[in-house]
């Protein structure tokens, strides 16, 4: 065991205990040895301790790492006592004296740093030993076989890196965590198995958050370092033909179970690699589940089923995480079995029970900037595929124009979603999206297209208690002057807050009978008009 005394220009000294393994010094909060000198880089230097000596490597720092008067140009093995300099700091590497006065204040921090450093060192050696990228990606070695080999290699390497670490739960946990990082998703594996977790948010290697029941909480889990987190991001996106690096520092992908993944890395992210995984229920929700969860009332469910079966064009609006995709999936499953459905998504999330479903997914450009296929391209192509229904996962840009034209030219019963804070805001955003298609159309003409294409707007909200509710269902009722008219059909009325912070309220009809209901009854359909008049209430 070694010690590192960090001395600033005023002579203040902080002592760090250095156990076997890898230690990174810098200003970044995820470093093992965090310093505050303005002349030190975020990740300045690395110290690898083994066999009573230390190998020091400069990590490309701006002001360099110095050994005496000589700038460190390559990794150098140093025996204590040795002196280094980083920025204005003196770094004194010396043997650690157990129980000595200088180490007393650092004992607690050192005890925690050593296992983390050992884990990083073991992970790096394990990846090097097995050449995991070549074996897992190119040779497609089965995962269970790869895990067995990785575990055997970790057991073989561990005595060399930590000869004093005895058999026991701590050693077993260390090996399991390192193998999980090298082969699977590391500390994320138990979260991916937890059905209550709907979102996983990794803000750098030391901060992992999850969403449960609509509420965000921080976990005690962490990655051993940035390299391990970057390796797992690469492992997620590489089989999908995606890449992430400094030239392309953002990526969207999808796991085999359908979970949606977004990753962003430095230099765009200042807190290290950031990974977000949105998980979806293994058992698809039905309209009965939405009623039981308080998302909508039975009357609203009956009304929406009639809307789908009578081929009304429906848009679902709401904020991020408000449940738009779940509602779209439930609505899509009301489509009759005999119809041909084409779904178009940026990242495939919809799962329909019908047999005649064609699922299309957009494709980003490759490393050379070629091969891009947009949602708009797919909507245009879908019109040539003899669809009975077109379901667009989300309208974000110029594809809105093609979607509206499809709705206005015989493709009734189409469904889509979009981000907005209210139904009126959604119509305004839709107008902007149409203009993004690059076609010079007067604003009034765009609004006329929208008013004639969209029949029903559903707005969904995630409340402060984490619950998701349909707060408004409105009918698009033509135009008056230059304004698109909206008529509320159902609304959620908030009545208060419960003792545990839950939002209380009721779903109520607004007294408006949609025009198509009257038309359908005149055509011989038996429809229940009482749902618009009865004081339908449901406690939240």
């Amino acid at each position: 065991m070694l010690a590192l005394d960090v001395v600033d220009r005023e002579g203040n000294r902080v002592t760090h205990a250095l156990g076997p393994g890898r230690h990174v010094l810098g200003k970044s909060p995820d470093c093992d040895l965090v310093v505050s000198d303005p002349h030190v880089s975020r990740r300045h230097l690395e110290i690898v301790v083994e066999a009573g000596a230390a190998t020091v490597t400069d990590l490309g720092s701006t002001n360099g790492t110095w050994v005496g008067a000589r700038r460190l140009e390559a990794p150098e093995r140093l025996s204590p006592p040795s002196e280094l300099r980083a920025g204005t700091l003196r770094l004194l590497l010396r043997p650690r004296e157990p129980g000595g006065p200088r180490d007393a204040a650092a004992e607690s921090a050192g005890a925690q740093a050593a296992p983390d450093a050992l884990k990083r060192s073991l992970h790096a050696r394990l990846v090097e030993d097995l050449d995991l990228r070549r074996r897992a990606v190119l040779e497609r070695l089965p995962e269970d076989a790869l895990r067995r080999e990785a575990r055997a290699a970790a057991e073989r390497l561990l005595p060399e890196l930590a000869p004093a670490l005895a058999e026991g739960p701590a050693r077993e946990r260390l090996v399991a965590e390192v193998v999980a990082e090298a082969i699977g998703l590391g500390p994320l594996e138990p979260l991916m198995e937890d059905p209550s977790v709907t979102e996983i948010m990794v803000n750098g290697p030391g901060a992992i958050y999850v969403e449960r029941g609509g509420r965000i909480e921080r976990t005690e889990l962490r990655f051993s370092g940035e390299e391990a987190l970057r390796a797992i991001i690469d492992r997620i996106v590489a089989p999908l033909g995606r890449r992430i690096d400094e030239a392309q520092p953002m990526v969207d992908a999808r796991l085999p179970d359908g979970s949606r993944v977004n990753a962003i890395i430095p230099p765009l992210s200042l807190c290290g690699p950031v990974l977000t995984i949105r998980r979806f229920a293994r058992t698809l929700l039905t309209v009965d589940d939405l009623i039981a969860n308080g998302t909508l009332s039975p009357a609203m469910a009956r009304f929406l089923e009639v809307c789908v079966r009578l081929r009304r064009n429906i848009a679902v609006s709401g904020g991020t995480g408000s449940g738009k995709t779940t509602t779209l999936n439930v609505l899509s499953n009301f489509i009759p079995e005999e119809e041909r459905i084409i779904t178009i998504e940026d990242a495939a999330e919809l799962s329909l029970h019908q047999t005649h479903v064609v699922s299309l997914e957009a494709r980003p450009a490759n490393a050379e900037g070629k091969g891009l296929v947009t949602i708009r391209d797919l909507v245009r192509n879908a019109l040539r595929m003899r669809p009975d229904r077109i379901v667009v996962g989300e309208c974000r840009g110029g594809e809105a124009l093609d979607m509206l034209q499809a709705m206005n030219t015989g493709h009734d019963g189409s469904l889509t979603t979009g981000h907005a804070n209210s139904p009126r805001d959604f119509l305004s955003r839709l107008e902007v999206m149409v203009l993004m298609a690059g076609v010079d159309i007067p604003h009034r003409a765009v609004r006329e297209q929208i008013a004639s294409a969209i029949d029903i707007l559903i707005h969904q909200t995630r409340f402060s208690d984490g619950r998701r509710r349909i707060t408004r269902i409105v009918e698009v009722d033509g135009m008056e002057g230059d304004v698109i008219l909206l008529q509320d059909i159902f609304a959620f009325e908030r009545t208060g807050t419960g003792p545990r912070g839950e939002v209380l309220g009721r779903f109520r009809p607004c007294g408006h009978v949609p025009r198509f209901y009257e038309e359908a009854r005149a055509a011989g359909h038996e429809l229940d008009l009482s749902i618009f008049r009865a004081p339908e209430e449901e406690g939240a």
Side-chain angles (χ1 to χ4, degrees):
M1 185 77 75
L2 301 180
L4 183 73
D5 295 331
V6 180
V7 185
D8 64 20
R9 71 175 87 193
E10 284 80 30
N12 299 311
R13 181 187 301 261
V14 176
T15 299
H16 299 272
L18 303 183
R22 178 173 175 268
H23 309 263
V24 175
L25 180 145
K27 290 190 298 187
S28 175
D30 66 320
C31 290
D32 308 294
L33 314 175
V34 180
V35 296
S36 58
D37 188 291
H39 302 286
V40 171
S41 297
R42 288 179 57 81
R43 295 173 61 81
H44 196 100
L45 63 88
E46 170 189 282
I47 302 173
V48 178
V49 177
E50 54 184 347
T55 301
V56 181
T57 304
D58 183 83
L59 300 178
S61 63
T62 302
N63 295 314
T65 301
W66 299 76
V67 180
R70 176 171 50 84
R71 182 165 182 161
L72 196 64
E73 300 293 346
E76 185 168 328
R77 186 176 175 86
L78 301 175
S79 297
S82 297
E83 181 173 335
L84 304 121
R85 182 165 54 84
T88 63
L89 302 176
R90 293 172 59 218
L91 309 177
L92 308 176
L93 186 68
R94 61 179 176 81
R96 178 173 177 252
E97 302 169 4
R102 287 184 176 179
D103 287 337
E107 187 69 36
S108 175
Q112 178 63 36
D116 287 345
L118 176 58
K119 185 191 293 186
R120 280 191 296 272
S121 182
L122 179 59
H123 178 272
R125 289 289 301 276
L126 180 60
V127 172
E128 179 183 357
D129 185 80
L130 290 181
D131 189 9
L132 293 175
R133 179 179 295 277
R134 180 181 61 83
R135 302 199 65 177
V137 177
L138 300 182
E139 295 185 4
R140 305 296 181 187
L141 190 68
E143 184 177 332
D144 56 347
L146 192 57
R147 281 183 182 270
R148 286 195 298 271
E149 290 201 25
R151 185 174 186 85
E155 295 281 6
R156 184 177 68 251
L157 293 167
L158 193 54
E160 176 186 338
L161 297 173
L165 184 61
E167 296 280 353
R171 179 185 177 120
E172 175 66 23
R173 184 169 59 252
L174 174 65
V175 170
E177 290 175 357
V178 170
V179 170
E181 281 193 352
I183 304 297
L185 298 180
L188 304 185
E189 288 191 347
L191 301 178
M192 294 296 293
E193 294 298 323
D194 186 346
S196 67
V197 173
T198 55
E199 196 110 19
I200 300 171
M201 295 150 278
V202 183
N203 302 345
I208 301 177
Y209 294 82
V210 298
E211 181 188 68
R212 286 189 177 94
R215 295 180 181 272
I216 295 176
E217 59 189 62
R218 182 167 182 168
T219 72
E220 296 180 354
L221 302 171
R222 56 177 293 155
F223 287 87
S224 60
E226 278 197 19
E227 293 80 2
L229 177 52
R230 281 289 300 272
I232 284 174
I233 293 174
D234 288 338
R235 195 172 304 124
I236 290 172
V237 303
L240 305 173
R242 310 284 175 91
R243 70 166 191 164
I244 185 167
D245 50 35
E246 288 193 3
Q248 191 171 321
M250 297 184 295
V251 69
D252 280 305
R254 178 167 42 86
L255 292 176
D257 68 355
S259 298
R260 192 167 67 195
V261 177
N262 175 271
I264 183 168
I265 62 173
L268 300 188
S269 168
L270 302 182
C271 58
V274 175
L275 175 67
T276 308
I277 301 176
R278 174 170 293 183
R279 303 185 62 227
F280 299 98
R282 296 178 181 177
T283 303
L284 293 176
L285 297 179
T286 66
V287 69
D288 292 332
D289 295 319
L290 297 189
I291 293 172
N293 294 339
T295 302
L296 75 171
S297 70
M300 295 161 70
R302 292 198 300 273
F303 170 70
L304 292 178
E305 181 175 2
V306 170
C307 289
V308 174
R309 294 193 180 278
L310 292 181
R311 303 183 68 86
R312 299 298 95 184
N313 294 322
I314 302 173
V316 184
S317 64
T320 301
S322 60
K324 299 185 299 297
T325 302
T326 299
T327 298
L328 182 65
N329 206 95
V330 169
L331 294 176
S332 299
N333 285 317
F334 288 141
I335 298 173
E337 175 68 30
E338 65 273 10
E339 296 190 15
R340 175 175 169 87
I341 308 166
I342 298 180
T343 66
I344 301 170
E345 300 175 83
D346 205 21
E349 299 174 25
L350 296 174
S351 181
L352 278 60
H353 67 73
Q354 295 91 337
T355 56
H356 200 166
V357 178
V358 179
S359 300
L360 306 179
E361 185 178 46
R363 184 180 69 185
N366 60 18
E368 289 75 35
K370 299 179 180 179
L372 174 68
V373 179
T374 66
I375 293 286
R376 188 176 188 191
D377 296 328
L378 295 178
V379 171
R380 288 173 169 174
N381 190 76
L383 298 177
R384 306 183 185 101
M385 298 173 67
R386 201 269 176 214
D388 287 312
R389 309 268 188 151
I390 299 175
V391 180
V392 178
E394 182 180 344
C395 277
R396 297 179 181 173
E399 67 272 4
L401 174 60
D402 302 286
M403 183 75 183
L404 292 175
Q405 290 177 336
M407 290 175 172
N408 278 319
T409 54
H411 296 90
D412 296 329
S414 297
L415 307 169
T416 190
T417 74
H419 283 80
N421 294 324
S422 70
R424 179 67 65 184
D425 286 345
F426 176 75
L427 295 181
S428 298
R429 286 204 68 233
L430 198 57
E431 187 175 342
V432 172
M433 286 188 274
V434 169
L435 297 176
M436 290 170 64
V439 180
D440 188 14
I441 305 176
H443 287 270
R444 180 178 174 81
V446 173
R447 290 172 190 160
E448 288 175 346
Q449 283 275 314
I450 294 172
S452 61
I454 304 291
D455 297 307
I456 299 294
L457 278 174
I458 302 169
H459 188 72
Q460 195 146 337
T461 302
R462 181 173 65 174
F463 287 87
S464 57
D465 60 359
R467 299 181 70 179
R468 298 164 172 87
R469 294 179 175 88
I470 292 177
T471 51
R472 289 177 69 189
I473 299 178
V474 303
E475 180 184 29
V476 180
D477 198 19
M479 291 187 63
E480 186 173 281
D482 288 337
V483 179
I484 299 174
L485 298 179
L486 298 179
Q487 291 284 352
D488 283 333
I489 303 171
F490 293 95
F492 176 77
E493 184 178 89
R494 182 168 180 169
T495 58
T497 303
R500 290 171 297 184
E502 65 271 26
V503 175
L504 304 178
R506 63 174 187 168
F507 296 107
R508 61 177 181 83
C510 299
H512 173 72
V513 179
R515 287 181 302 169
F516 76 88
Y517 244 63
E518 298 289 359
E519 295 167 2
R521 289 194 73 199
H525 295 280
E526 288 298 326
L527 301 174
D528 182 7
L529 290 177
S530 66
I531 60 175
F532 305 110
R533 296 190 299 267
E536 185 90 28
E537 297 184 5
E538 183 165 311

